[in-house]
Amino acid sequence: MPRVRALRRSAAIAAVALLAAVAAGCGAGAGTAPSQTELLVTQDFGAHGVAQDDQPKVGGSDTVMRLLQRNVPKVSTRYGGGFVQSIDGLSGGRKAGRPFDWFFYVNGVESSQGATSVKVHAGDNVWWDYHDWGVTDRVPAVVGSFPEPFLHGVDGRKLPTRVECYDPKSAACGSIVDKLTSLGLPAFKGGIGTSFVADTLRILVGPWVVLRGDSTAQLLEKGPAASGVFAKPAGNGKSITLLDGQGKPTRTLGAGTGLVAATTAQIASKNEDGKSSQDPMW
């Protein structure tokens, strides 16, 4: 039997969330570097656990869909088996007038393909979440899968990591690089906006009044429909407004707080297959 267990804690998967009370520009804290494929199933942006398996049964050519069906009971599909309709009784549709459905992330990055088309690679972190998508149907990247995607990359490709800092000599910038190095993840360090290489994982560190000059970071000010992040920093950097799953403000944090968030943006360059590259940013 697969070792699937109900979660007894609120997952720290801040897909849409924020880790407040973190000094601006500080790192994401301690992490682990798992070598096994992992499977996580949650509800409401990670607030409620459905199932977790740190060592799921994996076939040699499993897709994300097959991995789910192999390890979690009560999975139903639709559209010829290409999309998940329900898991453990949670079914896509409308609840109290709001649209709900299942979404999946591999190594913290939302896929542009269906679950039957995405292959599972060794060490991948696969996360399914059931949530309200009335505000946005795209949450392109999440922070809760750390140290992914830095460890195993995106679509089976390990990507270079660049830490871009307002002050590359600052303690905050150094702590980020040290954390990545301790996990065996070499990272380049430099100033903000000095990297224009496609398919690079970027970590931006600094005060918001500086970071907002970056076109990808600026998506956060436009709200979750643009960034997938359910928090909006003020342009002057003096506050961060936290939003609930329906995009409604819940509280505002003032000076001295910070935000750890993840998003991506399409950039103009093209891969060899003609597809637009993404610019993941943490």
Side-chain angles (χ1 to χ4, degrees), residues 63-76:
T63 62
V64 169
M65 178 70 81
R66 187 69 189 96
L67 178 72
L68 177 69
Q69 294 173 323
R70 187 190 298 275
N71 292 279
V72 179
K74 299 181 181 179
V75 176
S76 67

Side-chain angles (χ1 to χ4, degrees), residues 22-259:
V22 178
C26 285
T32 58
S35 59
Q36 299 288 335
T37 298
E38 297 185 356
L39 176 63
L40 180 65
V41 184
T42 63
Q43 180 181 357
D44 296 333
F45 301 111
H48 306 286
V50 177
Q52 180 177 2
D53 195 343
D54 295 331
Q55 295 182 326
K57 292 182 178 179
V58 182
S61 59
D62 268 358
T63 62
V64 169
M65 178 70 81
R66 187 69 189 96
L67 178 72
L68 177 69
Q69 294 173 323
R70 187 190 298 275
N71 292 279
V72 179
K74 299 181 181 179
V75 176
S76 67
T77 61
R78 55 182 167 172
Y79 301 122
F83 295 85
V84 167
Q85 171 62 25
S86 68
I87 301 175
D88 198 28
L90 289 174
S91 182
R94 301 191 74 85
K95 295 170 58 178
R98 304 288 303 180
F100 280 76
D101 220 326
W102 286 99
F103 298 83
F104 74 91
Y105 307 86
V106 180
N107 295 338
V109 178
E110 183 182 72
S111 175
S112 60
Q113 299 177 294
T116 57
S117 300
V118 178
K119 183 178 179 180
V120 176
H121 300 87
D124 278 352
N125 180 301
V126 179
W127 172 44
W128 287 86
D129 187 70
Y130 177 82
H131 59 249
D132 183 330
W133 57 272
V135 176
T136 178
D137 61 356
R138 183 172 184 263
V139 177
V142 299
V143 299
S145 294
F146 183 82
E148 303 297 354
F150 307 102
L151 187 62
H152 291 103
V154 181
D155 295 330
R157 296 184 303 128
K158 190 170 181 177
L159 303 177
T161 298
R162 181 174 177 85
V163 180
E164 298 186 9
C165 304
Y166 168 64
D167 179 4
K169 296 182 180 180
S170 67
C173 190
S175 68
I176 297 290
V177 175
D178 289 345
K179 170 54 64 178
L180 293 172
T181 301
S182 71
L183 295 172
L185 305 172
F188 298 98
K189 181 172 67 172
I192 294 173
T194 58
S195 172
F196 300 96
V197 180
D199 296 328
T200 297
L201 300 173
R202 299 191 303 143
I203 301 176
L204 272 56
V205 183
W208 181 249
V209 290
V210 176
L211 299 187
R212 70 188 300 265
D214 181 270
S215 60
T216 304
Q218 200 170 68
L219 294 174
L220 272 66
E221 286 187 13
K222 299 179 180 180
S227 67
V229 177
F230 283 57
K232 290 179 65 175
N236 59 14
K238 294 183 178 180
S239 65
I240 300 171
T241 300
L242 311 187
L243 311 175
D244 64 16
Q246 297 184 14
K248 299 177 181 178
T250 59
R251 58 187 295 208
T252 298
L253 306 175
T257 60
L259 171 67

